Amino acid sequence: MTQVLCVAGARPNFMKIAPVMAALAETGIAAQLLHTGQHYDTAMSDSFFADLGIPRPDHHLEVGSGSHAVQTAEVMRRFEPVLGSVQPQAVLVVGDVNSTLACALVAAKRGVRVIHVEAGLRSYDRSMPEEINRVLTDQISDLLFTTEKSALANLQREGIDPARVEFVGNVMIDTLHRNLERAVPASRTLGTPLPQYAVLTLHRPSNVDDPATLAALLDVVGEINRRLPVVVPLHPRTRSNIEKFGLATRLDGLHVLPPVGYLEMLGLMRDARLVLTDSGGIQEETTALGVPCLTLRENTERPITIAEGTNTLVGPDPAAIRAAFGEVMADGGKSGRIPEYWDGRAAMRIAHTLKGWLPMQKGIRAA
Ligand code: UD1
């Protein structure tokens, strides 16, 4: 009997589900893996399964891209019959993408327990699609695993019983620990040695969907590139908007790469002088690596990376980015320490808890 049906759908899910699947196997919990197909390109999906040794999914929904409504609805529609035939004791979802919420919602409506890994993070910015996914997923989850202690206060504010919440640390950092030695050196990914460089990733709708915002960001990145070469693994959404808005010449001189695999990205970050990003995961990975990170957003749902880590919240304003970059060049950037339980053992903590928790979940959850 399958006890736990694990769900992954988009790139940032894969490095979280990998250690969870491994820990469940190690503790003898019967699990299956379902891929929704939200991300489907080799570079956005298959390469992560290969690099991280994630088992081949038992189920693949092949939903692909679409508006948020279409994508979420399509995952729900295709997930329901699979859930009906597998009949797991619980569905485990990770992170905050559309697939996370869609599968959690189907499970909750069918009375199947929902486990959320990376619960309780809040940007308090409801214009961010992921924030909606976080709030709603947490509301319908039965067991919530958190990566940092601030998450518990966020959940309690929303009326969630603390007895359902457990602080276990960061499964994504488990993956980082496990793979750091295998990271591909930056010189190999770049095809040329660069003694010093910055890495930029940009894909948030708030940064890349408006032509003026995107143009201003690319301009200031162009300025930075004249002092420190900037390497840009380009997300498909960003690439297509740059083309659509006629901004392709703004990329001239930058070291633009297609989306890179996990081991390449790890090497690029590890060897970088600094990282500029609007990603959530990269704020955490740079803190774990001790590399200065400038976050090009107005807020973060991962405040521990600022309080304890190497992250600085800069926002999308070019003057602020210029100033923050100048500081890193002058003093080497922020140093930090490793947050509690970001120690490579978060997934094992989850598996041990589930070992005790699953047998106590009998039948359909009370309404
Ligand atoms: C999604 C997540 C976001 C995460 C990001 C990482 C949501 C709401 N957003 O955003 O939290 O940080 O993944 O990448 O779930 N595309 C491809 N190939 C693919 C996948 C997408 O070309 O394999 C293109 C398509 O044009 C698509 C666009 O990228 O329309 C956006 O993909 P989508 O999954 O809708 O959202 P992301 O921006 O990737």
Side-chain angles (χ1 to χ4, degrees):
M1 186 196 63
T2 299
Q3 294 173 280
V4 183
L5 180 57
C6 297
V7 173
R11 185 170 63 178
N13 289 164
F14 304 137
M15 43 289 232
K16 296 169 193 167
I17 212 69
V20 171
M21 294 295 295
L24 295 182
E26 209 175 309
T27 42
I29 296 173
Q32 288 193 10
L33 179 61
L34 177 136
H35 189 332
T36 66
Q38 176 173 345
H39 284 174
Y40 44 87
D41 285 349
T42 303
M44 300 290 284
S45 175
D46 302 1
S47 85
F48 290 81
F49 279 74
D51 284 350
L52 302 179
I54 306 172
R56 209 182 134 80
D58 301 281
H59 312 273
H60 203 304
L61 304 183
E62 298 183 350
V63 294
S65 301
S67 69
H68 286 269
V70 166
Q71 193 172 60
T72 308
E74 205 53 44
V75 173
M76 290 180 69
R77 214 174 58 78
R78 297 185 191 195
F79 183 56
E80 185 166 43
V82 177
L83 187 61
S85 71
V86 176
Q87 299 203 331
Q89 275 181 285
V91 166
L92 182 148
V93 296
V94 297
D96 55 15
V97 303
N98 288 341
S99 302
T100 308
L101 172 61
C103 293
L105 192 48
V106 172
K109 292 277 180 99
R110 289 186 66 113
V112 177
R113 305 289 188 291
V114 177
I115 303 161
H116 187 202
V117 174
E118 197 190 88
L121 297 178
R122 294 291 180 273
S123 64
Y124 291 96
D125 173 1
R126 291 274 172 110
S127 69
M128 212 180 161
E130 293 80 4
E131 183 74 354
I132 310 284
N133 295 341
R134 290 179 199 122
V135 170
L136 298 180
T137 302
D138 286 338
Q139 277 298 326
I140 54 176
S141 291
D142 297 283
L143 183 57
L144 301 90
F145 291 113
T146 62
T147 54
E148 59 172 276
K149 282 190 169 158
S150 67
L152 178 60
N154 294 332
L155 293 169
Q156 284 187 279
R157 215 170 285 140
E158 292 167 13
I160 289 167
D161 180 356
R164 287 195 276 136
V165 182
E166 187 181 332
F167 172 49
V168 290
N170 197 323
V171 292
M172 201 181 59
I173 305 305
D174 293 6
T175 295
L176 185 145
H177 279 235
R178 201 155 301 164
N179 291 285
L180 198 52
E181 277 186 3
R182 298 168 61 221
V184 177
S187 54
R188 202 179 330 145
T189 304
L190 296 167
T192 169
L194 282 179
Q196 290 205 333
Y197 63 89
V199 178
L200 168 77
T201 81
L202 270 187
H203 75 285
R204 293 257 160 248
S206 60
N207 280 335
V208 307
D209 284 3
D210 171 60
T213 307
L214 183 55
L217 280 169
L218 292 176
D219 281 343
V220 71
V221 169
E223 276 176 44
I224 290 173
N225 187 55
R226 288 192 279 279
R227 283 185 67 193
L228 181 69
V230 181
V231 177
V232 193
L234 208 50
H235 188 282
R237 165 199 283 281
T238 312
R239 178 177 288 283
S240 98
N241 284 354
I242 287 173
E243 281 158 17
K244 191 163 77 193
F245 302 152
L247 300 173
T249 55
R250 304 280 217 292
L251 297 176
D252 291 349
L254 304 179
H255 294 255
V256 176
L257 303 171
V260 294
Y262 183 78
L263 298 173
E264 283 80 14
M265 191 62 195
L266 198 52
L268 282 177
M269 290 191 287
R270 180 194 59 193
D271 301 342
R273 172 111 188 238
L274 88 147
V275 172
L276 303 110
T277 192
D278 59 9
S279 152
I282 289 175
Q283 295 172 52
E284 298 185 328
E285 289 167 335
T286 46
T287 277
L289 292 166
V291 174
C293 177
L294 303 181
T295 293
L296 311 184
R297 286 173 44 191
E298 305 279 11
N299 49 54
T300 179
E301 61 287 334
R302 293 160 160 93
I304 203 161
T305 60
I306 296 183
E308 296 186 14
T310 56
N311 191 16
T312 307
L313 206 53
V314 178
D317 173 50
I321 297 170
R322 207 174 285 124
F325 170 71
E327 279 174 35
V328 176
M329 294 305 275
D331 66 12
K334 197 170 160 187
S335 56
R337 59 190 150 104
I338 306 296
E340 187 180 358
Y341 279 180
W342 291 24
D343 58 359
R345 294 202 293 270
M348 277 313 284
R349 288 188 195 98
I350 290 173
H352 283 132
T353 295
L354 292 182
K355 198 85 187 151
W357 182 83
L358 285 166
M360 290 160 53
Q361 312 304 309
K362 297 252 162 22
I364 301 288
R365 184 186 37 210

